[in-house]
Amino acid sequence: MEKWQLDALNFEVKAIETFLGFKFEGETIEEKQEFVAAHKDKRTEVTSELLRQAYEDYVKNPTQS
């Protein structure tokens, strides 16, 4: 795995821990990949909800963006 790929994987793990509240307790790259894959649907759901809310806020008051 190249350094940029490892950096991206570590970023995804940290984002899941921070925004979804799931704690990563593994150590290996494989465990990180499994952790990220296991939470893919929840990440998609949360991201979609945040985008929907931001869009609704913008539509209600476009001059505030």
Side-chain angles (χ1 to χ4, degrees):
M1 178 175 280
E2 294 187 35
K3 183 184 180 324
W4 70 268
Q5 291 170 313
L6 183 57
D7 289 345
L9 181 60
N10 287 331
F11 178 83
E12 287 187 90
V13 168
K14 186 53 101 179
I16 290 168
E17 289 181 323
T18 301
F19 297 109
L20 300 181
F22 298 114
K23 180 72 176 141
F24 175 71
E25 298 191 13
E27 295 180 13
T28 67
I29 290 172
E30 291 78 17
E31 289 171 325
K32 288 180 182 182
Q33 290 171 325
E34 289 173 10
F35 179 78
V36 168
H39 296 94
K40 181 180 181 181
D41 290 342
K42 187 64 175 174
R43 288 184 300 142
T44 301
E45 179 184 322
V46 169
T47 300
S48 294
E49 180 61 21
L50 290 172
L51 289 171
R52 184 189 66 73
Q53 289 174 359
Y55 177 75
E56 286 179 359
D57 291 346
Y58 172 77
V59 169
K60 289 178 185 173
N61 197 354
T63 59
Q64 293 292 323
S65 58

